[in-house]
Amino acid sequence: NGVFTMKRVGFFTTHITLRREGSDVDIASYHPRWTGSAGELRFPDGRLYQFKSANFWGTRHEVLDAQGRVLLALRSGVEDSHFSDIFKIQARLDLDTALRDNRDLDQIVVLVWYIMLLHHQDAAAGAAVSS
């Protein structure tokens, strides 16, 4: 439902903003905790969602609403992988059907996918530096 732009802002205390293309108004933002594996998705009117890693390996992430219900989950990879998938960044999105009418869902999905891409890039950069 639209075209969005995302931007990582800051140096020590970074956050990510989400805007509609061509606009200077943030429609959502992500503020990570110091660990980087969790944080808050914030909307200007005060609505909050929690983003967190749901397992030790960081291959499953969840977004929870204010009542603690899982709105969506992202699992790294695909169900039926092929050799050609080895260098692709892919994830499976699971939505709670009862919560599909959430008005923030489009923005949350876009923002969470961007967060996942940044996590992947940061991990790759860390691996390159350590080798």
Side-chain angles (χ1 to χ4, degrees):
N1 284 340
V3 179
F4 303 98
T5 61
M6 282 88 37
K7 183 177 181 181
R8 192 186 318 202
V9 180
F11 185 70
F12 288 113
T13 55
T14 63
H15 67 278
I16 298 167
T17 62
L18 177 72
R19 297 175 177 178
R20 292 210 179 272
E21 185 179 47
S23 174
D24 292 334
V25 178
D26 296 341
I27 57 173
S29 61
Y30 171 69
H31 298 266
R33 294 197 186 116
W34 68 274
T35 60
S37 63
E40 285 185 340
L41 301 171
R42 300 177 186 170
F43 286 80
D45 65 358
R47 293 184 320 278
L48 292 174
Y49 298 90
Q50 297 299 314
F51 172 79
K52 66 178 188 131
S53 179
N55 64 10
F56 176 77
W57 300 108
T59 57
R60 179 180 164 92
H61 291 79
E62 296 176 339
V63 175
L64 289 79
D65 66 9
Q67 290 75 37
R69 297 177 297 191
V70 176
L71 178 63
L72 63 89
L74 278 170
R75 288 188 275 162
S76 296
V78 292
E79 260 185 60
D80 186 23
S81 62
H82 303 284
F83 183 73
S84 61
D85 295 330
I86 197 165
F87 295 110
K88 295 178 183 174
I89 302 170
Q90 301 179 56
R92 181 176 168 183
L93 176 66
D94 297 322
L95 296 172
D96 182 337
T97 55
L99 302 174
R100 284 191 179 175
D101 293 332
N102 185 302
R103 66 181 175 171
D104 302 323
L105 191 57
D106 294 342
Q107 292 88 4
I108 291 171
V109 169
V110 169
L111 194 53
V112 168
W113 181 244
Y114 184 68
I115 294 165
M116 298 290 289
L117 291 174
L118 289 178
H119 281 186
H120 182 60
Q121 286 179 346
D122 292 346
V129 168
S130 67
S131 56

